[in-house]
């Protein structure tokens, strides 16, 4: 990238790779007997994967992707308020090219001439395509074809030109097919021995490549429909092997050695940094409550001080409605806490969240906060939902949209250890069952709900969003490319945006070095993309024209998010073992 990157030496690139690769699975890699007996690819590629994980599943996930996807609330600072801090965006931009792309380029440069590394080069190329797919869907246009130019390659004073999104996606999809086709399963020696994902299974890397191609093609299904249809049909009509069960999921784990800790553990949990520590998002928890979702306790930990309120329930014993005081441990934190727009003229004294404190809101489950947190890249559930979406759009052969949809829910339940009986009950509910609708529940200020229409795409998107929990980048891209679900806007975004509200940003800004050192390339990007702001739409961004003018929306205070949490009857509290008090 930038001028200074063009002068980086191979020594620096190798050093970065070694530092990451000799950490763990990353902990186990430094114990592997092959590390000092094999090739640079065994050093560099695990390090590249760890560097990618630190970005997609670490810092960017915590600061930006989780609140953008409406998975997290309760964080503080300008980034969860949908703006940015230049020092962080500069660092991320630099690391994408120095620690990820530069090292992948070195792997290919060193080993591409030797056929005995063909499989491992193909795996490196697959990972490079994954990394660029994250970049282009995060930033929009990025330097791609000339991203790692040497000084002698610079033309017309442009260090690196920004390539348009369609070219990047087309190249990625074509290359994923090529690498999947080139991988050979039955070669014992050409195996990625220090593989932190699949432990050297070339068969699973083929499945990952095909599944990733489907995922990326569906991501551009509205932006570039012909491109998407070509690849989706080729994958599904030929029944190419994909991730079909949870044993084949592509998952990267952080480590228990300190340098390999997850970012959320290292910077929030270990330091008790409430500034970063995420709470469960309010709208996400409203959906889980409406669906009586058994994954609630898998995704969330109960609030330290559960939300207490007085509800109106029916008593079968007295055959009358009664006022009942009880506590709900799974309430989510809205992006703007209890703030609402003054235009709504709502009485603040009646705000259901008026007297809440931080400990009244549910935390992320401890599994998402631990040192060696597991971060999925592609899962069987995700693949099934992608297939379902493709069939609804008229693409691909095989099972029906409904069958794929149900498979997606089943895979997600199995992934999280939810018993099959709970699955059978879950899929019979209105709004979940294919062809049904549900009224859902309102959020605390009554502007959005968990209702689900007859639209099959809305059902698929809703269930995939839930299943993708903690995969912030995927959840964010799903929302901005479809906008089938009406997400509650941030009602108090950063004043730097000069906006009264924002559903979520469209993109992340580039590092400042692009403006300063690659000025001509940067200005060329501006002419095509139209801007470098958080709100600048990129090609996959769906139009926002259908969204309400929120200041004119008929808001109202609502207790739906907790009302009848355990059921409509007092006796349901008894069945759930919940302590309560009947108010005389």
């Amino acid at each position: 990238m930038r001028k200074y990157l063009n002068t980086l030496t191979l020594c620096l690139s190798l050093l970065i790779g070694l530092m990451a690769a000799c950490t763990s699975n990353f902990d186990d890699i430094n114990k592997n007997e092959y590390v000092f007996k094999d090739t640079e690819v065994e050093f560099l590629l695990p390090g590249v994967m760890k560097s990618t994980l630190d970005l997609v599943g670490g810092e960017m996930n915590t600061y930006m992707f989780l609140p953008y996807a409406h998975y997290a609330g309760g964080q503080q600072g300008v980034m969860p308020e949908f703006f940015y801090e230049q020092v962080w965006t500069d660092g991320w931009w630099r690391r994408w090219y120095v620690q990820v792309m530069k090292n992948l380029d070195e792997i290919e440069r060193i080993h591409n001439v030797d056929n005995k590394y063909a499989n491992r080069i193909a795996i490196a190329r697959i990972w490079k395509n994954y990394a660029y797919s994250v970049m282009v869907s995060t930033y929009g246009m990025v330097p791609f074809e000339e991203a790692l130019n040497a000084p002698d390659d610079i033309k017309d004073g442009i260090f690196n030109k920004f390539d348009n999104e369609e070219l990047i996606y087309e190249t990625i999809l074509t290359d994923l097919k090529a690498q999947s086709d080139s991988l050979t399963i039955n070669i014992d020696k050409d195996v990625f021995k220090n593989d932190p994902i699949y432990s050297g299974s070339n068969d699973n890397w083929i499945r990952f490549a095909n599944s990733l191609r489907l995922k990326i093609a569906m991501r551009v299904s509205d932006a570039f429909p012909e491109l998407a249809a070509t690849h989706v049909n080729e994958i599904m009509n030929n029944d190419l092997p994909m991730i079909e069960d949870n044993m084949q999921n592509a998952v990267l784990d952080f480590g228990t050695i300190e340098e390999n800790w997850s970012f959320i553990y290292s910077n929030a949990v270990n330091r008790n940094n409430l500034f970063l520590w995420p709470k469960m998002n309010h709208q996400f928890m409203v959906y889980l409550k409406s669906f009586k979702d058994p994954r609630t306790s898998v995704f969330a930990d109960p609030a330290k001080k559960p939300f207490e309120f007085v509800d109106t329930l029916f008593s079968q014993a007295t055959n009358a409605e009664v006022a009942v005081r009880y506590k709900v441990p799974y309430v989510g934190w809205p992006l703007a806490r209890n703030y609402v727009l003054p235009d709504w003229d709502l009485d603040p004294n009646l705000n259901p969240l008026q007297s809440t404190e931080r400990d009244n809101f549910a935390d992320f489950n401890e599994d998402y906060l631990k040192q060696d947190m597991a971060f999925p890249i592609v899962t069987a559930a995700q693949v099934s939902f992608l297939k379902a979406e493709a069939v609804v759009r008229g693409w691909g052969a095989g099972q029906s949209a409904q069958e794929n949809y149900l498979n997606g829910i089943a895979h997600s339940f199995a992934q999280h250890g939810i018993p099959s009986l709970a699955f059978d009950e879950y899929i019979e509910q209105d709004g979940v069952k294919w062809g049904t609708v549900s009224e859902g529940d309102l959020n605390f200020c009554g502007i959005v709900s968990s209702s689900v229409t007859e639209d099959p795409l809305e059902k698929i998107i809703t269930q995939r969003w839930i299943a993708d929990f903690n995969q912030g980048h995927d959840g964010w891209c799903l929302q901005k490319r479809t906008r089938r679900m009406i997400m509650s806007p941030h009602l108090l975004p950063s004043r730097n945006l000069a906006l009264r509200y924002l559903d979520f940003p469209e993109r992340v800004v580039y590092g400042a070095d692009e403006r300063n050192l690659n000025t001509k390339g940067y200005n060329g990007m501006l002419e095509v993309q139209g801007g470098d702001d958080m709100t600048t739409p990129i090609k996959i961004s769906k139009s926002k024209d259908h969204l309400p003018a929120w200041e004119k929306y008929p808001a109202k205070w609502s207790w739906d998010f907790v009302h009848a949490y355990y059921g409509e009857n007092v006796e349901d509290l008894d069945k759930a073992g919940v302590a309560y008090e009947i108010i005389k």
Side-chain angles (χ1 to χ4, degrees), residues 109-123:
R109 185 188 67 80
I110 294 168
H111 297 297
N112 211 22
V113 295
D114 195 334
N115 213 31
K116 69 180 182 180
Y117 302 117
N119 279 338
R120 282 167 285 184
I121 292 299
I123 291 170

Side-chain angles (χ1 to χ4, degrees), residues 80-100:
E81 292 174 354
F82 294 175
F83 200 60
Y84 64 94
E85 291 185 28
Q86 194 71 61
V87 63
W88 285 99
T89 53
D90 286 355
W92 296 333
W93 182 255
R94 193 174 300 123
R95 284 160 59 190
W96 273 116
Y97 282 102
V98 177
Q99 295 186 10
V100 178

Side-chain angles (χ1 to χ4, degrees), residues 173-371:
L173 291 168
T174 300
D175 196 55
L176 280 171
K177 171 177 167 53
Q179 302 314 316
S180 173
D181 291 345
S182 73
L183 268 168
T184 307
I185 297 175
N186 298 317
I187 295 183
D188 294 334
K189 293 184 178 180
D190 189 8
V191 173
F192 183 16
K193 303 179 184 68
N194 289 323
D195 184 351
I197 298 180
Y198 287 129
S199 302
S201 170
N202 289 338
D203 174 68
N204 280 336
W205 275 104
I206 292 171
R207 293 179 180 277
F208 174 70
N210 292 329
S211 302
L212 181 62
R213 182 155 67 112
L214 177 66
K215 177 176 171 177
I216 296 169
M218 292 307 300
R219 184 171 289 167
V220 300
S221 55
D222 283 322
F224 312 115
E226 291 184 9
L227 174 65
T230 297
H231 286 273
V232 171
N233 285 327
E234 200 272 334
I235 294 165
M236 293 180 64
N237 292 347
N238 292 299
D239 198 22
L240 297 183
M242 286 190 282
I243 295 172
E244 297 169 352
D245 64 58
N246 289 313
M247 294 297 292
Q248 298 163 349
N249 288 349
V251 180
L252 274 174
D253 297 340
F254 288 94
T256 55
I257 298 174
E258 185 171 352
E259 60 264 33
N260 297 324
W261 286 351
S262 67
F263 178 82
I264 192 67
Y265 177 83
S266 179
N267 291 273
V269 179
N270 188 51
R271 299 177 184 178
N272 196 31
N273 181 1
L274 301 184
F275 188 86
L276 274 180
W277 200 312
K279 292 287 186 176
M280 297 298 292
N281 180 273
H282 184 70
Q283 186 166 359
F284 187 75
M285 296 305 289
V286 171
Y287 272 91
L288 297 188
K289 182 258 184 184
S290 299
F291 295 145
K292 299 179 176 60
D293 200 308
R295 291 167 292 186
T296 298
S297 60
V298 175
F299 296 149
D301 274 348
K304 295 178 178 65
K305 297 178 181 179
F307 185 90
E308 185 174 19
F309 76 115
V310 176
D311 204 356
T312 301
L313 301 177
F314 185 81
S315 171
Q316 294 175 334
T318 63
N319 197 33
E321 286 188 339
V322 294
V324 185
R325 186 192 310 277
Y326 63 98
K327 297 178 181 179
V328 173
Y330 295 111
V331 172
W333 185 314
L335 289 172
R337 183 78 177 264
N338 57 9
Y339 178 81
V340 295
L341 296 181
D343 309 66
W344 296 335
D345 196 27
L346 298 175
D347 185 348
N349 296 313
L350 300 179
N351 187 336
L353 301 180
Q354 178 190 17
S355 302
T356 53
E357 56 183 280
R358 181 179 180 83
D359 285 347
N360 294 143
F361 299 102
D363 286 298
F364 274 40
N365 184 283
E366 62 181 359
D367 283 346
Y368 299 102
L369 303 173
K370 62 185 183 179
Q371 297 171 347

Side-chain angles (χ1 to χ4, degrees), residues 414-461:
Q415 178 184 346
H416 296 294
I418 306 299
S420 57
L421 179 61
F423 165 78
D424 293 338
E425 295 173 351
Y426 184 81
I427 62 173
E428 288 301 314
Q429 297 181 91
D430 288 345
V432 178
K433 187 175 182 179
W434 196 256
T436 65
V437 301
S438 65
E439 291 184 6
D441 295 303
L442 293 169
N443 75 332
F444 82 103
C445 58
I447 62 170
V448 294
S449 77
S450 55
S451 63
V452 179
T453 68
E454 293 179 344
D455 179 10
L457 272 181
E458 184 183 342
K459 280 188 176 58
I460 294 164
I461 299 305

